[in-house]
Amino acid sequence: MIKTRPLSFPKKFHWGFAAAAAQIEGAAFEDNKGPSIWDVFPTIPGKVHNGDSPEVACDHYHRYKQDIALMAKLGAKNYRLSVSWPRIFPSGRGPVNPKGIDFYNRLIDTCLAKGITPWVTMFHWDLPQALEDEFGGWRDRRTVDAFATYADTIVQAFGDRVKNWITLNEIYCFIHQGYADGTKAPGHKLPAKVVNQAYHHALLAHGHGVRAVREHGGRGARVGLTDNCVPMIPVTETPGDIAASQRAFIERNVRVLDPIYRGGYTATYRKIVGKDAAKFQKDDFKLISLPTDFLGLNTYTGEFVRAGKGGKPEILAKPRSYPAADATWLAHASQAMYWCPRHVAEIYGVKSVVITENGAGYDDVPDAKGEIMDLHRRDYVRCCLRELHRAIGDGVPVDGYFLWSFMDNYEWQDGYRIRFGVVYNDYATQKRTPKLSAQWFSKVMDENRIV
Ligand code: PNW
């Protein structure tokens, strides 16, 4: 007899959706919110597709009640949201904006009333423009001081109800792409030494986020970083290629994971970064390497590695027709979802991994009946979940999965062209329509298994 074995997840597995303030809220200049670097970046010609700005986005600032209601209807028990720093401190520091605090109080209370646990990211890229203007943003240590105050403020304000905190979202993206290749705000192309110093400041901010939660988070508060370390997938699952993939993983992600999990700039860091290494002060690594409760991974794609001469890792180029999403960086390498959690557990001893983002971006178009048959997104996410299930089965400690994203939103330099939502957003009317993938994912969450 042929029988389907259920691909079930552990009992207390956390399923949910993820989003970020600047990508959905809109109301960019309302209720005293200060401008963020992402309000300014689209005004620089050629930086953002179509010059799209996050000024209105999904107008979630005004529609949060219906959005959270829809999220609850789809069965989500967890929601990863972010707080907009310039809504709380319009100039990055100085006086607090009470209207900003009010908004997140309303949002958090709405989530809780609907049985949804909020997971709050302190910083998801929307740096107050004032800090860029005054200090040069993350290039300057004074931005770290401002972040420390901001972190203290929001943990004190929301910590009675928020028990799951994420310090920063993807240091690589907002530092490397913001200051080295210039593809994201603030859009600079600076020398490696400056960039590595900016990395160091981001690491310090992470440390302050952890410290703030420990000092003010109250009982049961948990905190972690969300990283998008580059997953390294062994071409064959044999000891040689696996070892090569581990080595490649350490080397590629050395700027973030070594200081946090190995307590300093290791020999590997110094070898790779060389004379451009960041300057640090005596106690910096005490803060940076404070123990955390979980590591958030944003896993979308990965690199394939094989062992070359003497076991040396060789990262393989992907052929032109390797399958990918419309977001062209997103090659469909679902095995990343097995290997990335496994590598961080095996290499750095991470005891709890939470997938804080996974998904795929396409240019969805409603059909004649108004339905959105996003079989491509559903299939890719399903493949990723199978790999995650396999990882858990092999003993990798994975405790949650957040789908990026709840609804279509402002996709940074790709503007509104690329859609990552499982709920379609018609930007002209702000009408939300669940896609096929939303209905499917709703069942996954409900049955706690891959359906
Ligand atoms: C993440 N990569 O960014 C961000 O956290 C989200 O805000 C964003 O909307 C989402 O993924 C989709 O892009 C990434 O090149 C950007 O590997 C680029 C990469 C990974 C994540």
Side-chain angles (χ1 to χ4, degrees):
M1 243 260 284
I2 296 173
K3 249 181 108 181
T4 307
R5 281 175 302 153
L7 298 166
S8 297
F9 280 72
K11 264 211 175 68
K12 285 190 176 156
F13 197 76
H14 304 294
W15 294 104
F17 291 114
Q23 295 179 271
I24 61 169
E25 285 179 4
F29 306 106
E30 241 177 274
D31 288 343
N32 310 323
K33 177 182 163 290
S36 88
I37 55 174
W38 277 97
D39 294 315
V40 174
F41 192 58
T43 67
I44 309 171
K47 287 294 190 184
V48 175
H49 171 79
N50 197 36
D52 289 350
S53 93
E55 188 170 345
V56 177
C58 308
D59 194 34
H60 176 71
Y61 189 78
H62 299 111
R63 296 165 196 262
Y64 68 93
K65 274 197 184 137
Q66 66 165 72
D67 287 336
I68 302 300
L70 177 56
M71 213 179 274
K73 198 172 145 207
L74 292 172
K77 298 278 185 287
N78 299 278
Y79 173 37
R80 174 176 175 235
L81 59 99
S82 82
V83 172
S84 157
W85 182 351
R87 233 183 247 299
I88 305 296
F89 287 99
S91 315
R93 58 201 184 119
V96 174
N97 172 28
K99 289 192 171 160
I101 302 275
D102 285 351
F103 171 65
Y104 293 105
N105 274 330
R106 294 197 300 275
L107 178 58
I108 290 163
D109 290 345
T110 304
C111 288
L112 293 172
K114 289 280 178 195
I116 296 173
T117 301
W119 294 57
V120 175
T121 309
M122 298 174 179
F123 180 71
H124 200 126
W125 305 355
D126 44 357
L127 186 80
Q129 177 65 31
L131 298 177
E132 168 67 16
D133 294 341
E134 279 181 74
F135 302 147
W138 291 108
R139 280 170 281 181
D140 194 286
R141 207 172 160 113
R142 285 171 291 180
T143 294
V144 180
D145 300 335
F147 179 85
T149 306
Y150 161 64
D152 285 337
T153 306
I154 59 173
V155 176
Q156 281 167 342
F158 311 127
D160 56 337
R161 288 152 293 153
V162 173
K163 294 298 165 193
N164 296 282
W165 292 94
I166 292 156
T167 56
L168 310 176
N169 182 70
E170 300 186 348
I171 295 179
Y172 168 83
C173 276
F174 72 83
I175 296 297
H176 186 84
Q177 300 186 339
Y179 297 89
D181 70 26
T183 53
K184 286 198 164 72
H188 301 305
K189 289 185 182 162
L190 299 168
K193 203 173 178 64
V194 182
V195 176
N196 288 321
Q197 198 59 45
Y199 264 106
H200 187 70
H201 296 145
L203 290 164
L204 283 168
H206 159 73
H208 273 296
V210 177
R211 178 200 53 72
V213 172
R214 298 294 181 235
E215 284 179 14
H216 312 294
R219 275 180 66 141
R222 290 154 27 88
V223 61
L225 171 79
T226 276
D227 190 29
N228 68 322
C229 39
V230 181
M232 294 292 173
I233 304 163
V235 174
T236 67
E237 297 194 351
T238 55
D241 282 356
I242 292 174
S245 74
Q246 286 191 331
R247 214 171 116 188
F249 186 83
I250 294 167
E251 290 172 0
R252 175 64 76 88
N253 302 301
V254 77
R255 285 177 179 77
V256 173
L257 294 179
D258 267 29
I260 289 180
Y261 288 104
R262 293 175 161 165
Y265 291 137
T266 55
T268 318
Y269 174 94
R270 292 196 304 272
K271 198 176 131 208
I272 290 170
V273 179
K275 61 171 183 20
D276 295 321
K279 286 207 173 63
F280 52 89
Q281 297 177 7
K282 197 169 127 272
D283 290 333
D284 283 359
F285 292 107
K286 278 195 197 142
L287 192 66
I288 290 170
S289 65
L290 279 174
T292 55
D293 302 299
F294 59 87
L295 175 63
L297 294 179
N298 290 354
T299 305
Y300 289 92
T301 183
E303 299 289 348
F304 289 92
V305 184
R306 70 177 177 198
K309 259 211 185 96
K312 201 171 175 300
E314 281 176 14
I315 297 179
L316 306 187
K318 292 192 185 75
R320 192 178 46 81
S321 36
Y322 189 91
D326 289 350
T328 47
W329 54 270
L330 208 164
H332 285 338
S334 57
Q335 289 168 79
M337 199 52 110
Y338 177 88
W339 284 101
C340 198
R342 178 167 167 171
H343 282 333
V344 297
E346 286 191 315
I347 300 170
Y348 300 101
V350 172
K351 297 274 184 299
S352 172
V353 171
V354 176
I355 303 303
T356 39
E357 287 181 28
N358 167 245
Y362 306 98
D363 176 18
D364 306 88
V365 183
D367 66 17
K369 286 192 278 175
E371 287 188 86
I372 301 100
M373 293 298 177
D374 58 339
L375 286 165
H376 42 10
R377 177 176 293 103
R378 196 222 61 143
D379 285 358
Y380 184 56
V381 169
R382 196 175 190 282
C383 288
C384 290
L385 285 180
R386 290 213 52 155
E387 292 293 335
L388 193 65
H389 184 266
R390 179 163 80 100
I392 295 169
D394 286 358
V396 181
V398 185
D399 297 313
Y401 174 95
F402 289 77
L403 183 70
W404 184 275
S405 184
F406 171 63
M407 59 182 156
D408 297 333
N409 57 52
Y410 183 66
E411 179 53 16
W412 309 113
Q413 72 271 28
D414 286 326
Y416 295 102
R417 185 172 59 98
I418 302 276
R419 296 170 178 272
F420 270 84
V422 292
V423 171
Y424 184 85
N425 190 41
D426 179 339
Y427 291 103
T429 60
Q430 296 292 357
K431 183 167 179 267
R432 324 284 200 229
T433 308
K435 305 176 192 178
L436 176 92
S437 57
Q439 285 145 10
W440 168 79
F441 188 62
S442 170
K443 276 217 154 42
V444 170
M445 294 192 285
D446 181 43
E447 302 199 11
N448 197 30
R449 69 183 180 97
I450 302 171
V451 294

